[in-house]
Amino acid sequence: MESHSPYLDEQRQQPLRIYFIPFLAAGHILPLSDIARVFTARGHHVTIITTPSNAQIIRTSTPHHPNFLLHTVPFPSQELGLPDGIENLSDTFDDDTFMKVFNGMDTLREPIEHFLGRHPPDCIVADFMFPWVEDLANKLRVPRLVFNGFSLFAICAVESFRAHPVPPDASPPFLIHDFPHSVTMNATPPTLLREVLESMFEAELRSHGIILNNFVELDGEEYVQYYERTTGHKVWHLGPACLLHGTAEEKAERGQKSVLSVQKCMSWLDSKNPNSVVYICFGSLCCFPDCQLYEIACAVEASGCEFIWVVREKEGKEEEEEMKEKWLPKGFEERNSKKGLIIRGWAPQVLILRHSAVGGFLSHCGWNSTVEAISAGVPMITWPMHSEQFYNEKLITEVRGVGVEVGVDEWRSTGYGQREKVVGRGRIEVAIRRLMDGGNEAQEIRVRAQELGKKARAAVQEGGSSFNNFTALIDELKRLRDCKHVD
């Protein structure tokens, strides 16, 4: 019979001390910060370790809580030849600055190790892009959880290709080997990207488990079983992060400050009919050349749809008319002044997607954007560009049936630089019309998207799948801490 210890009873009531180390990109920082806040709401002590500029992003979008702390470590912007305050991949505009910020993250290791050595936590949650945290966790004898910003579906696809490599001379299309669904890939990942992801995923398998910004009903229980069967590793679905905290003000201030007032954006949408607006945004790490933006503009105008189009700023410079005409047809803004809204810079995406006027989302299939659209019940028009986005596209279109494909096949390691192909306006227009024309196919896709949206909202409510996963994970971390104290 197990002996009963009053000390253990008291110990189990003590809050956990959890440190979070996010990767320096908006698509990693925001969902991990949202997840961290749930641990705070459940009575535990959270510290997020990041750089000064990124701490400010978190601070402005997070209500004050005594158990939610930020600890900053310096980022060597000047030594890297970067302007002061450039500490986030989302602030970069080309491959050169992207790599400077990326490589600069290596300098975070020493001050983080020093801080944790003086203030050891009960658990470290680090982004999968920081595999060195494994050594630190082992040294401190605390569990390491890995935050992976992908869908489990994409992780399973990478693991499948790692176990069953595609021959170097093979050309797409090809099926993903031994998968729960028959999934056809129409593009091949760049060799460098594949090697980096496989290395990172191999390291994360040595952690205590992975946590995801997703809900199990979207990935599918079959992929949880596939992952655990093929890797022997544990996974916790804790999202969607965008649904974890509720007020409109919080959602408006999530991330950077919108360049267009939230009130103006919402007022414009209020004047539109339900499901009439297509929202166009390719995330914070994708940069199209002018010639591709021009084709998108022509396609949107030809489709006749009302639209909100988010375009990255041109390196923070005022745009002259001559420069504008390189990516916008002459007179485009005047002709579409009532039909469309162009936002140059950051937009309140979560609020836009939740508005009833939005009927479709033309997206790069980055995971945050994908799960935000699904959470709002908005179907997608898929245009993947880099990283794991081509896998996400297949989950959206072939597996869950909540989107249509533009039909791109140029898979790159990053979202920057000149691309080999320009996607023509005709192909883009066809995809937009296919979802927005109100036909039978579009209606069926929309119904499925709305059903998934209901499941997403249920997942984070008390008794929902993600809510229960949080409870199970907290219990597991307490058990690990208490076992360590007994030892």
Side-chain angles (χ1 to χ4, degrees):
M1 182 182 292
E2 185 180 345
S3 61
H4 185 77
S5 166
Y7 168 78
L8 280 180
D9 283 346
E10 182 181 346
Q11 180 66 28
R12 287 189 185 108
Q13 301 309 313
Q14 294 298 314
L16 292 160
R17 286 169 297 134
I18 310 173
Y19 290 175
F20 291 79
I21 309 174
F23 187 66
L24 305 187
H28 296 242
I29 290 172
L30 295 177
L32 190 54
S33 299
D34 287 338
I35 288 169
R37 286 176 58 195
V38 175
F39 285 96
T40 302
R42 298 251 189 140
H44 303 287
H45 296 285
V46 159
T47 299
I48 297 182
I49 304 171
T50 189
T51 65
S53 290
N54 290 301
Q56 189 57 32
I57 292 173
I58 297 169
R59 197 175 286 118
T60 56
S61 56
T62 306
H64 173 73
H65 193 290
N67 292 343
F68 185 95
L69 302 176
L70 290 166
H71 176 78
T72 59
V73 292
F75 188 83
S77 298
Q78 286 190 330
E79 292 92 322
L80 294 167
L82 292 164
D84 276 342
I86 301 298
E87 304 171 3
N88 189 305
L89 291 178
S90 305
D91 294 328
T92 63
F93 286 87
D94 54 41
D95 280 325
D96 181 52
T97 53
F98 180 96
M99 290 311 300
K100 284 179 179 177
V101 174
F102 185 88
N103 292 329
M105 293 188 216
D106 290 340
T107 67
L108 306 182
R109 179 172 182 170
E110 187 176 334
I112 289 175
E113 287 181 341
H114 180 68
F115 174 71
L116 266 69
R118 289 186 296 120
H119 309 280
D122 295 314
C123 173
I124 305 172
V125 181
D127 196 283
F128 80 103
M129 295 297 289
F130 293 143
W132 52 264
V133 175
E134 177 189 5
D135 293 336
L136 177 59
N138 290 341
K139 181 180 176 182
L140 297 172
R141 295 180 62 238
V142 298
R144 172 181 69 116
L145 291 172
V146 170
F147 172 69
N148 191 310
F150 295 178
S151 63
L152 186 63
F153 177 89
I155 294 169
C156 289
V158 173
E159 290 292 352
S160 174
F161 284 122
R162 188 156 73 98
H164 310 282
V166 175
D169 56 348
S171 298
F174 45 80
L175 289 172
I176 301 179
H177 187 84
D178 188 32
F179 228 43
H181 290 85
S182 178
V183 176
T184 306
M185 299 302 299
N186 63 334
T188 308
T191 301
L192 176 61
L193 174 68
R194 179 178 52 77
E195 291 173 349
V196 168
L197 289 182
E198 288 179 359
S199 171
M200 296 295 181
F201 286 8
E202 191 174 337
E204 81 177 15
L205 289 176
R206 295 191 293 272
S207 70
H208 190 72
I210 61 174
I211 63 174
L212 301 175
N213 172 27
N214 198 9
F215 59 110
V216 72
E217 291 84 356
L218 175 51
D219 266 324
E221 189 65 48
E222 63 271 32
Y223 287 93
V224 176
Q225 294 171 4
Y226 174 92
Y227 179 77
E228 294 182 347
R229 172 174 58 82
T230 56
T231 67
H233 205 225
K234 181 67 178 169
V235 58
W236 284 274
H237 286 77
L238 302 181
C242 62
L243 295 179
L244 294 175
H245 310 286
T247 69
E249 184 181 3
E250 285 181 63
K251 289 178 173 57
E253 293 178 353
R254 193 167 179 263
Q256 300 175 30
K257 186 173 178 62
S258 174
V259 296
L260 183 73
S261 78
V262 172
Q263 184 180 1
K264 183 175 180 181
C265 193
M266 294 298 106
S267 295
W268 188 87
L269 284 168
D270 287 343
S271 70
K272 306 302 176 185
N273 292 326
N275 298 323
S276 65
V277 175
V278 60
Y279 174 60
I280 306 164
C281 181
F282 292 91
S284 57
L285 293 178
C286 296
C287 225
F288 278 128
D290 288 340
C291 58
Q292 185 61 79
L293 294 174
Y294 195 94
E295 291 300 306
I296 294 171
C298 291
V300 170
E301 187 165 26
S303 75
C305 289
E306 296 176 308
F307 63 91
I308 292 181
W309 183 11
V310 181
V311 183
R312 290 199 71 182
E313 289 180 290
K314 300 279 184 177
E315 300 190 50
K317 298 175 183 175
E318 283 293 321
E319 191 174 33
E320 296 177 4
E321 199 63 35
E322 191 177 327
M323 288 175 61
K324 189 191 295 182
E325 288 181 10
K326 291 181 179 179
W327 68 275
L328 272 184
K330 192 169 185 177
F332 178 91
E333 289 181 292
E334 292 76 14
R335 290 192 302 275
N336 294 280
S337 59
K338 293 182 179 178
K339 266 196 165 179
L341 201 57
I342 295 179
I343 301 175
R344 292 169 173 81
W346 194 268
Q349 178 163 293
V350 172
L351 288 181
I352 290 171
L353 287 169
R354 293 211 181 166
H355 199 285
S356 60
V358 176
F361 181 15
L362 175 55
S363 169
H364 63 310
C365 305
W367 188 246
N368 279 331
S369 290
T370 298
V371 81
E372 286 166 7
I374 297 300
S375 299
V378 174
M380 300 177 68
I381 304 161
T382 60
W383 185 333
M385 296 177 67
H386 64 93
S387 195
E388 90 293 4
Q389 295 163 7
F390 281 81
Y391 299 127
N392 295 339
E393 174 181 60
K394 296 305 175 182
L395 175 62
I396 296 160
T397 59
E398 290 191 17
V399 177
R400 299 297 166 226
V402 292
V404 300
E405 299 181 10
V406 170
V408 298
D409 59 8
E410 187 177 353
W411 194 337
R412 294 171 63 92
S413 295
T414 74
Y416 300 108
Q418 198 68 31
R419 305 178 74 80
E420 292 178 12
K421 301 176 182 179
V422 174
V423 181
R425 64 193 72 174
R427 184 185 295 183
I428 305 166
E429 181 191 346
V430 165
I432 293 173
R433 285 183 180 276
R434 190 175 158 198
L435 184 62
M436 300 298 290
D437 69 359
N440 288 339
E441 182 194 29
Q443 287 296 97
E444 289 169 5
I445 290 171
R446 197 172 306 286
V447 167
R448 286 192 291 267
Q450 289 168 350
E451 285 302 312
L452 265 180
K454 291 175 186 174
K455 290 178 180 178
R457 293 186 286 278
V460 298
Q461 300 299 317
E462 187 168 357
S465 58
S466 294
F467 183 97
N468 290 342
N469 281 337
F470 264 109
T471 302
L473 178 55
I474 289 167
D475 289 345
E476 172 81 351
L477 293 177
K478 284 183 174 181
R479 183 187 66 79
L480 292 170
R481 178 193 61 185
D482 298 346
C483 287
K484 178 183 173 182
H485 283 292
V486 169
D487 293 344

mmCIF file of all heavy atoms in Angstrom, residues 346-379:
data_model
loop_
_atom_site.group_PDB
_atom_site.id
_atom_site.type_symbol
_atom_site.label_atom_id
_atom_site.label_comp_id
_atom_site.label_asym_id
_atom_site.label_seq_id
_atom_site.Cartn_x
_atom_site.Cartn_y
_atom_site.Cartn_z
ATOM 1 N N TRP A 346 0.591 45.764 -40.125
ATOM 2 C CA TRP A 346 -0.084 44.825 -39.225
ATOM 3 C C TRP A 346 -1.585 45.076 -39.189
ATOM 4 O O TRP A 346 -2.024 46.226 -39.187
ATOM 5 C CB TRP A 346 0.507 44.953 -37.822
ATOM 6 C CG TRP A 346 0.136 43.837 -36.890
ATOM 7 C CD1 TRP A 346 -0.929 43.802 -36.035
ATOM 8 C CD2 TRP A 346 0.816 42.594 -36.714
ATOM 9 N NE1 TRP A 346 -0.948 42.618 -35.337
ATOM 10 C CE2 TRP A 346 0.115 41.851 -35.731
ATOM 11 C CE3 TRP A 346 1.966 42.033 -37.286
ATOM 12 C CZ2 TRP A 346 0.519 40.584 -35.307
ATOM 13 C CZ3 TRP A 346 2.361 40.772 -36.878
ATOM 14 C CH2 TRP A 346 1.640 40.062 -35.900
ATOM 15 N N ALA A 347 -2.376 44.013 -39.164
ATOM 16 C CA ALA A 347 -3.838 44.129 -39.126
ATOM 17 C C ALA A 347 -4.391 43.293 -37.974
ATOM 18 O O ALA A 347 -3.785 42.300 -37.579
ATOM 19 C CB ALA A 347 -4.435 43.652 -40.447
ATOM 20 N N PRO A 348 -5.561 43.677 -37.439
ATOM 21 C CA PRO A 348 -6.184 42.892 -36.352
ATOM 22 C C PRO A 348 -6.851 41.638 -36.912
ATOM 23 O O PRO A 348 -8.080 41.525 -36.969
ATOM 24 C CB PRO A 348 -7.207 43.878 -35.767
ATOM 25 C CG PRO A 348 -7.585 44.747 -36.918
ATOM 26 C CD PRO A 348 -6.346 44.886 -37.766
ATOM 27 N N GLN A 349 -6.033 40.670 -37.292
ATOM 28 C CA GLN A 349 -6.512 39.522 -38.062
ATOM 29 C C GLN A 349 -7.593 38.712 -37.356
ATOM 30 O O GLN A 349 -8.585 38.314 -37.979
ATOM 31 C CB GLN A 349 -5.326 38.616 -38.416
ATOM 32 C CG GLN A 349 -5.714 37.360 -39.186
ATOM 33 C CD GLN A 349 -4.541 36.715 -39.869
ATOM 34 O OE1 GLN A 349 -3.975 37.278 -40.796
ATOM 35 N NE2 GLN A 349 -4.162 35.535 -39.438
ATOM 36 N N VAL A 350 -7.405 38.454 -36.063
ATOM 37 C CA VAL A 350 -8.380 37.619 -35.346
ATOM 38 C C VAL A 350 -9.765 38.270 -35.385
ATOM 39 O O VAL A 350 -10.776 37.596 -35.619
ATOM 40 C CB VAL A 350 -7.925 37.375 -33.896
ATOM 41 C CG1 VAL A 350 -9.020 36.691 -33.091
ATOM 42 C CG2 VAL A 350 -6.654 36.523 -33.879
ATOM 43 N N LEU A 351 -9.821 39.578 -35.184
ATOM 44 C CA LEU A 351 -11.111 40.283 -35.220
ATOM 45 C C LEU A 351 -11.705 40.296 -36.626
ATOM 46 O O LEU A 351 -12.920 40.149 -36.803
ATOM 47 C CB LEU A 351 -10.943 41.710 -34.707
ATOM 48 C CG LEU A 351 -10.716 41.883 -33.208
ATOM 49 C CD1 LEU A 351 -10.587 43.359 -32.859
ATOM 50 C CD2 LEU A 351 -11.849 41.255 -32.402
ATOM 51 N N ILE A 352 -10.857 40.493 -37.633
ATOM 52 C CA ILE A 352 -11.340 40.498 -39.021
ATOM 53 C C ILE A 352 -11.960 39.142 -39.365
ATOM 54 O O ILE A 352 -13.068 39.060 -39.903
ATOM 55 C CB ILE A 352 -10.190 40.839 -39.995
ATOM 56 C CG1 ILE A 352 -9.778 42.301 -39.845
ATOM 57 C CG2 ILE A 352 -10.604 40.554 -41.441
ATOM 58 C CD1 ILE A 352 -8.508 42.681 -40.596
ATOM 59 N N LEU A 353 -11.253 38.073 -39.060
ATOM 60 C CA LEU A 353 -11.745 36.736 -39.405
ATOM 61 C C LEU A 353 -13.051 36.395 -38.690
ATOM 62 O O LEU A 353 -13.865 35.627 -39.210
ATOM 63 C CB LEU A 353 -10.680 35.686 -39.079
ATOM 64 C CG LEU A 353 -9.469 35.656 -40.016
ATOM 65 C CD1 LEU A 353 -8.368 34.773 -39.451
ATOM 66 C CD2 LEU A 353 -9.872 35.160 -41.410
ATOM 67 N N ARG A 354 -13.255 36.975 -37.521
ATOM 68 C CA ARG A 354 -14.474 36.658 -36.761
ATOM 69 C C ARG A 354 -15.688 37.443 -37.245
ATOM 70 O O ARG A 354 -16.808 37.174 -36.812
ATOM 71 C CB ARG A 354 -14.251 36.968 -35.289
ATOM 72 C CG ARG A 354 -13.230 36.024 -34.711
ATOM 73 C CD ARG A 354 -13.522 35.770 -33.276
ATOM 74 N NE ARG A 354 -12.494 34.873 -32.777
ATOM 75 C CZ ARG A 354 -12.280 34.642 -31.523
ATOM 76 N NH1 ARG A 354 -13.014 35.249 -30.629
ATOM 77 N NH2 ARG A 354 -11.355 33.818 -31.136
ATOM 78 N N HIS A 355 -15.473 38.418 -38.113
ATOM 79 C CA HIS A 355 -16.604 39.233 -38.568
ATOM 80 C C HIS A 355 -17.447 38.451 -39.574
ATOM 81 O O HIS A 355 -16.925 37.772 -40.459
ATOM 82 C CB HIS A 355 -16.096 40.529 -39.197
ATOM 83 C CG HIS A 355 -17.150 41.585 -39.277
ATOM 84 N ND1 HIS A 355 -18.168 41.548 -40.206
ATOM 85 C CD2 HIS A 355 -17.348 42.708 -38.532
ATOM 86 C CE1 HIS A 355 -18.946 42.607 -40.038
ATOM 87 N NE2 HIS A 355 -18.476 43.327 -39.029
ATOM 88 N N SER A 356 -18.762 38.563 -39.448
ATOM 89 C CA SER A 356 -19.670 37.774 -40.293
ATOM 90 C C SER A 356 -19.566 38.127 -41.774
ATOM 91 O O SER A 356 -19.960 37.331 -42.632
ATOM 92 C CB SER A 356 -21.115 37.974 -39.830
ATOM 93 O OG SER A 356 -21.476 39.351 -39.922
ATOM 94 N N ALA A 357 -19.017 39.310 -42.094
ATOM 95 C CA ALA A 357 -18.894 39.700 -43.500
ATOM 96 C C ALA A 357 -17.806 38.917 -44.229
ATOM 97 O O ALA A 357 -17.819 38.826 -45.461
ATOM 98 C CB ALA A 357 -18.601 41.201 -43.604
ATOM 99 N N VAL A 358 -16.851 38.360 -43.480
ATOM 100 C CA VAL A 358 -15.722 37.669 -44.104
ATOM 101 C C VAL A 358 -16.137 36.251 -44.482
ATOM 102 O O VAL A 358 -16.530 35.448 -43.629
ATOM 103 C CB VAL A 358 -14.501 37.652 -43.161
ATOM 104 C CG1 VAL A 358 -13.360 36.840 -43.768
ATOM 105 C CG2 VAL A 358 -14.038 39.084 -42.896
ATOM 106 N N GLY A 359 -16.021 35.952 -45.769
ATOM 107 C CA GLY A 359 -16.463 34.648 -46.271
ATOM 108 C C GLY A 359 -15.359 33.760 -46.771
ATOM 109 O O GLY A 359 -15.591 32.608 -47.146
ATOM 110 N N GLY A 360 -14.125 34.265 -46.796
ATOM 111 C CA GLY A 360 -13.005 33.452 -47.265
ATOM 112 C C GLY A 360 -11.684 34.113 -46.921
ATOM 113 O O GLY A 360 -11.616 35.332 -46.732
ATOM 114 N N PHE A 361 -10.641 33.316 -46.843
ATOM 115 C CA PHE A 361 -9.325 33.790 -46.432
ATOM 116 C C PHE A 361 -8.289 33.255 -47.413
ATOM 117 O O PHE A 361 -8.015 32.053 -47.445
ATOM 118 C CB PHE A 361 -9.040 33.294 -45.012
ATOM 119 C CG PHE A 361 -7.719 33.709 -44.416
ATOM 120 C CD1 PHE A 361 -6.945 34.724 -44.959
ATOM 121 C CD2 PHE A 361 -7.249 33.091 -43.268
ATOM 122 C CE1 PHE A 361 -5.732 35.102 -44.395
ATOM 123 C CE2 PHE A 361 -6.045 33.454 -42.675
ATOM 124 C CZ PHE A 361 -5.284 34.461 -43.249
ATOM 125 N N LEU A 362 -7.724 34.134 -48.234
ATOM 126 C CA LEU A 362 -6.616 33.782 -49.121
ATOM 127 C C LEU A 362 -5.335 33.872 -48.311
ATOM 128 O O LEU A 362 -4.929 34.955 -47.899
ATOM 129 C CB LEU A 362 -6.576 34.719 -50.326
ATOM 130 C CG LEU A 362 -5.405 34.563 -51.304
ATOM 131 C CD1 LEU A 362 -5.293 33.135 -51.823
ATOM 132 C CD2 LEU A 362 -5.545 35.546 -52.465
ATOM 133 N N SER A 363 -4.699 32.716 -48.068
ATOM 134 C CA SER A 363 -3.645 32.647 -47.059
ATOM 135 C C SER A 363 -2.467 31.792 -47.505
ATOM 136 O O SER A 363 -2.594 30.900 -48.346
ATOM 137 C CB SER A 363 -4.233 32.053 -45.764
ATOM 138 O OG SER A 363 -3.228 31.737 -44.833
ATOM 139 N N HIS A 364 -1.324 32.050 -46.861
ATOM 140 C CA HIS A 364 -0.102 31.279 -47.084
ATOM 141 C C HIS A 364 -0.106 29.958 -46.304
ATOM 142 O O HIS A 364 0.840 29.183 -46.412
ATOM 143 C CB HIS A 364 1.111 32.104 -46.656
ATOM 144 C CG HIS A 364 1.126 32.442 -45.195
ATOM 145 N ND1 HIS A 364 0.042 33.001 -44.540
ATOM 146 C CD2 HIS A 364 2.076 32.283 -44.235
ATOM 147 C CE1 HIS A 364 0.339 33.178 -43.269
ATOM 148 N NE2 HIS A 364 1.567 32.745 -43.058
ATOM 149 N N CYS A 365 -1.126 29.716 -45.500
ATOM 150 C CA CYS A 365 -1.262 28.485 -44.708
ATOM 151 C C CYS A 365 -0.248 28.394 -43.582
ATOM 152 O O CYS A 365 0.090 27.282 -43.135
ATOM 153 C CB CYS A 365 -1.158 27.225 -45.584
ATOM 154 S SG CYS A 365 -2.304 27.183 -46.952
ATOM 155 N N GLY A 366 0.282 29.526 -43.104
ATOM 156 C CA GLY A 366 1.030 29.499 -41.861
ATOM 157 C C GLY A 366 0.113 28.985 -40.766
ATOM 158 O O GLY A 366 -1.103 29.213 -40.804
ATOM 159 N N TRP A 367 0.675 28.279 -39.773
ATOM 160 C CA TRP A 367 -0.219 27.582 -38.850
ATOM 161 C C TRP A 367 -1.069 28.525 -38.018
ATOM 162 O O TRP A 367 -2.248 28.259 -37.786
ATOM 163 C CB TRP A 367 0.529 26.602 -37.953
ATOM 164 C CG TRP A 367 -0.475 25.808 -37.181
ATOM 165 C CD1 TRP A 367 -0.699 25.806 -35.850
ATOM 166 C CD2 TRP A 367 -1.492 24.972 -37.757
ATOM 167 N NE1 TRP A 367 -1.779 25.004 -35.534
ATOM 168 C CE2 TRP A 367 -2.288 24.488 -36.692
ATOM 169 C CE3 TRP A 367 -1.809 24.587 -39.063
ATOM 170 C CZ2 TRP A 367 -3.361 23.636 -36.898
ATOM 171 C CZ3 TRP A 367 -2.893 23.748 -39.265
ATOM 172 C CH2 TRP A 367 -3.662 23.278 -38.196
ATOM 173 N N ASN A 368 -0.525 29.642 -37.537
ATOM 174 C CA ASN A 368 -1.355 30.567 -36.761
ATOM 175 C C ASN A 368 -2.529 31.070 -37.581
ATOM 176 O O ASN A 368 -3.670 31.090 -37.114
ATOM 177 C CB ASN A 368 -0.528 31.762 -36.277
ATOM 178 C CG ASN A 368 0.279 31.437 -35.050
ATOM 179 O OD1 ASN A 368 -0.107 30.593 -34.257
ATOM 180 N ND2 ASN A 368 1.407 32.086 -34.893
ATOM 181 N N SER A 369 -2.256 31.490 -38.804
ATOM 182 C CA SER A 369 -3.339 31.981 -39.671
ATOM 183 C C SER A 369 -4.369 30.896 -39.920
ATOM 184 O O SER A 369 -5.583 31.151 -39.910
ATOM 185 C CB SER A 369 -2.764 32.472 -41.005
ATOM 186 O OG SER A 369 -2.035 33.664 -40.826
ATOM 187 N N THR A 370 -3.898 29.686 -40.135
ATOM 188 C CA THR A 370 -4.816 28.576 -40.404
ATOM 189 C C THR A 370 -5.740 28.320 -39.220
ATOM 190 O O THR A 370 -6.968 28.235 -39.370
ATOM 191 C CB THR A 370 -4.017 27.302 -40.740
ATOM 192 O OG1 THR A 370 -3.236 27.534 -41.923
ATOM 193 C CG2 THR A 370 -4.946 26.120 -40.962
ATOM 194 N N VAL A 371 -5.153 28.202 -38.035
ATOM 195 C CA VAL A 371 -5.982 27.865 -36.873
ATOM 196 C C VAL A 371 -6.881 29.042 -36.493
ATOM 197 O O VAL A 371 -7.992 28.846 -35.971
ATOM 198 C CB VAL A 371 -5.093 27.385 -35.694
ATOM 199 C CG1 VAL A 371 -4.475 28.530 -34.934
ATOM 200 C CG2 VAL A 371 -5.876 26.467 -34.767
ATOM 201 N N GLU A 372 -6.453 30.281 -36.776
ATOM 202 C CA GLU A 372 -7.326 31.441 -36.528
ATOM 203 C C GLU A 372 -8.522 31.437 -37.465
ATOM 204 O O GLU A 372 -9.644 31.771 -37.056
ATOM 205 C CB GLU A 372 -6.516 32.730 -36.666
ATOM 206 C CG GLU A 372 -5.581 32.984 -35.487
ATOM 207 C CD GLU A 372 -4.535 34.056 -35.730
ATOM 208 O OE1 GLU A 372 -4.592 34.735 -36.777
ATOM 209 O OE2 GLU A 372 -3.643 34.211 -34.866
ATOM 210 N N ALA A 373 -8.299 31.063 -38.731
ATOM 211 C CA ALA A 373 -9.410 30.980 -39.684
ATOM 212 C C ALA A 373 -10.382 29.866 -39.294
ATOM 213 O O ALA A 373 -11.600 30.072 -39.263
ATOM 214 C CB ALA A 373 -8.877 30.742 -41.093
ATOM 215 N N ILE A 374 -9.840 28.693 -38.978
ATOM 216 C CA ILE A 374 -10.685 27.558 -38.605
ATOM 217 C C ILE A 374 -11.486 27.883 -37.347
ATOM 218 O O ILE A 374 -12.671 27.561 -37.239
ATOM 219 C CB ILE A 374 -9.826 26.300 -38.387
ATOM 220 C CG1 ILE A 374 -9.114 25.890 -39.680
ATOM 221 C CG2 ILE A 374 -10.665 25.155 -37.833
ATOM 222 C CD1 ILE A 374 -10.012 25.572 -40.837
ATOM 223 N N SER A 375 -10.848 28.547 -36.385
ATOM 224 C CA SER A 375 -11.531 28.910 -35.138
ATOM 225 C C SER A 375 -12.711 29.840 -35.395
ATOM 226 O O SER A 375 -13.686 29.837 -34.650
ATOM 227 C CB SER A 375 -10.551 29.593 -34.180
ATOM 228 O OG SER A 375 -9.499 28.722 -33.853
ATOM 229 N N ALA A 376 -12.589 30.652 -36.443
ATOM 230 C CA ALA A 376 -13.668 31.578 -36.794
ATOM 231 C C ALA A 376 -14.668 30.966 -37.764
ATOM 232 O O ALA A 376 -15.648 31.620 -38.145
ATOM 233 C CB ALA A 376 -13.063 32.850 -37.408
ATOM 234 N N GLY A 377 -14.412 29.727 -38.183
ATOM 235 C CA GLY A 377 -15.316 29.075 -39.131
ATOM 236 C C GLY A 377 -15.211 29.614 -40.539
ATOM 237 O O GLY A 377 -16.155 29.502 -41.328
ATOM 238 N N VAL A 378 -14.057 30.183 -40.892
ATOM 239 C CA VAL A 378 -13.870 30.794 -42.214
ATOM 240 C C VAL A 378 -13.109 29.839 -43.125
ATOM 241 O O VAL A 378 -11.996 29.409 -42.791
ATOM 242 C CB VAL A 378 -13.095 32.128 -42.098
ATOM 243 C CG1 VAL A 378 -12.776 32.693 -43.473
ATOM 244 C CG2 VAL A 378 -13.899 33.138 -41.288
ATOM 245 N N PRO A 379 -13.664 29.491 -44.298
ATOM 246 C CA PRO A 379 -12.945 28.617 -45.238
ATOM 247 C C PRO A 379 -11.775 29.343 -45.896
ATOM 248 O O PRO A 379 -11.727 30.576 -45.910
ATOM 249 C CB PRO A 379 -14.017 28.236 -46.257
ATOM 250 C CG PRO A 379 -15.022 29.342 -46.201
ATOM 251 C CD PRO A 379 -15.007 29.860 -44.793
#
